[in-house]
Amino acid sequence: MASKACKNCKFVIDEGDVCPACGGTELTTNWKGFVVIFDASKSNIAQKMGLSMPGKYALRLSK
Ligand SMILES: [Zn+2]
């Protein structure tokens, strides 16, 4: 089963239908590339993307 990415915050979810980062239920399997955030407070990418929760985030979502 393909992982899904949240359309709201781009969090990548391996299981389930609810985004654990923002609680959103709008998920898509059409996404490309990802970044893994371990410590959002120390990550320039996380700060640039406005992320606060550690995890995997999609870089691009297709519509
Ligand atoms: Zn989300």
Side-chain angles (χ1 to χ4, degrees), residues 38-61:
F38 293 103
D39 187 340
S41 64
K42 289 180 186 162
S43 165
N44 290 333
I45 300 166
Q47 283 168 19
K48 208 184 269 184
M49 290 173 75
L51 311 174
S52 55
M53 185 170 157
K56 204 157 97 176
Y57 291 86
L59 287 176
R60 267 180 307 197
L61 301 182

Side-chain angles (χ1 to χ4, degrees), residues 5-11 13 19-27 57:
C6 174
K7 286 186 181 178
N8 185 43
C9 70
K10 298 184 180 176
F11 193 87
I13 300 151
C19 173
C22 73
T25 53
E26 295 259 326
L27 310 175
Y57 291 86

Side-chain angles (χ1 to χ4, degrees), residues 1-5 11-18 20 27 31 56:
M1 195 178 118
S3 298
K4 299 173 207 168
F11 193 87
V12 174
I13 300 151
D14 293 319
E15 285 180 8
D17 293 311
V18 180
L27 310 175
W31 57 274
K56 204 157 97 176

